[in-house]
Structure formats: structure tokens, C-alpha cells
Amino acid sequence: MPHVPARRAVPVTAAALLLAPALAAAAPAGAELPDAGRATAAVRVAVTGGSYTASVGLVRTGPRTLFGGFYCAADGISPTPLTALVDADRIYHLGGVRAHWDPATQDYVVTVIHGDAADSTKQWNAYVNEKKITTGPCHTAIKGGDKVRWTLEAASGAASGTGTAERPPRRRRER
């Protein structure tokens, strides 16, 4: 029969006893953390366009239920620009994120970030790697290393006052 060495006792200090419950504590009430076993991604998040501008470090995000209502995951398993924004707010204290569920699009519409509110003339739009998303913020997949930016900008149907009509082509002067 093989010889099994006896286990040695490891001394436990008072500090270790105090630290153990802190490490094992559940997330604070109301914290919306990624679901266990789902895909997660480390991304960079920025907020621009309103009176508040921020660019934060890496944010680990994953799919989950948001704002006490609907599950937010592209293709049912992937993290999204909205989960990244919510996690950036939780980690870096961006000043609050609010959104409402739009039954017509079956997705969330971001209404407020850090007190900067969307209205009939401006809306929050998400960009992933500097490309504006074309699907809703819970239907767009993101992956590790992506850059997610939320920008408050003129609503697509709002008059911007900049004149969006095309100019007629310039005529060349003949000599």
C-alpha cells in the first residue's frame, strides 16, 4: 500500500477569518451581474455628446436581465453594448443609466446617462469600434477588446439646423 504523507495544519490568522466572509459575500442588492456560465467580454466603454464625458478602463460584461425586466443578450448568449454600459456604470460610477423597454423593437432604449436625457431632438446611440450599431443595444453582440461608445446626438428625425440637403455638383469654369 502506498504511503500517503499526513496533512500539515495551516495556521489561520484573525485577518484571514475576517477576509473570508468578505470574499464570499454576495453582490450588493440591485447589482446586475453577468449570469454564470454565459459568455463574457472585457471591453472599453466611453460616454460622449452630453455635458458628461467619460472613457473608462476595461469592463467585464456579460448577458443578463436588466432593469428588472428583460434578458439582454445578442443571439441569446453574447454580451451587448447595453450590458457593457450598465457594468461601466456599476464599476466606475458614471452617474446612473436609465432605459425603457420598447415593445415595438423588442429592445431597450437608453433614455438617461449621468443625467443627460434623450428627448424628441436627441437620442443615445451606441457605437462598437466606431461603427454605429444598426440593431438594438441588446441585439448587438460585442466581444473582448471591443470599444463601446454611447453618444448623445441629434435624433434621426429631428431637424438639426445644419442643412442636410445635398449640394448641386460644382461646375467647372472653362478657360
Side-chain angles (χ1 to χ4, degrees):
M1 193 181 294
H3 173 60
V4 179
R7 286 189 164 167
R8 291 178 28 175
V10 177
V12 178
T13 64
L17 289 174
L18 292 174
L19 183 59
L23 293 174
E32 299 161 350
L33 300 175
D35 291 337
R38 300 288 184 185
T40 62
V43 299
R44 298 208 179 271
V45 178
V47 177
T48 62
S51 59
Y52 177 77
T53 298
S55 183
V56 300
L58 285 176
V59 173
R60 181 153 301 278
T61 189
R64 68 182 164 289
T65 301
L66 293 178
F67 306 107
F70 298 92
Y71 193 70
C72 185
D75 304 321
I77 58 170
S78 299
T80 69
L82 186 54
T83 61
L85 176 65
V86 169
D87 285 330
D89 182 46
R90 179 180 51 83
I91 296 166
Y92 295 102
H93 310 289
L94 301 180
V97 173
R98 285 190 290 190
H100 72 270
W101 182 256
D102 180 8
T105 62
Q106 292 291 295
D107 210 334
Y108 283 102
V109 175
V110 174
T111 55
V112 178
I113 300 173
H114 194 269
D116 290 326
D119 59 25
S120 62
T121 63
K122 55 191 177 196
Q123 65 190 20
W124 283 105
N125 291 312
Y127 292 78
V128 176
N129 299 323
E130 297 307 318
K131 286 184 72 178
K132 187 175 181 178
I133 66 171
T134 57
T135 57
C138 286
H139 290 111
T140 303
I142 59 174
K143 62 188 179 318
D146 282 349
K147 293 177 183 170
V148 177
R149 177 172 49 92
W150 283 87
T151 301
L152 186 62
E153 52 196 12
S156 55
S160 63
T162 59
T164 57
E166 287 187 35
R167 286 183 162 173
R170 283 185 166 187
R171 291 192 173 199
R172 251 178 110 159
R173 283 194 286 171
E174 296 197 24
R175 295 181 191 219

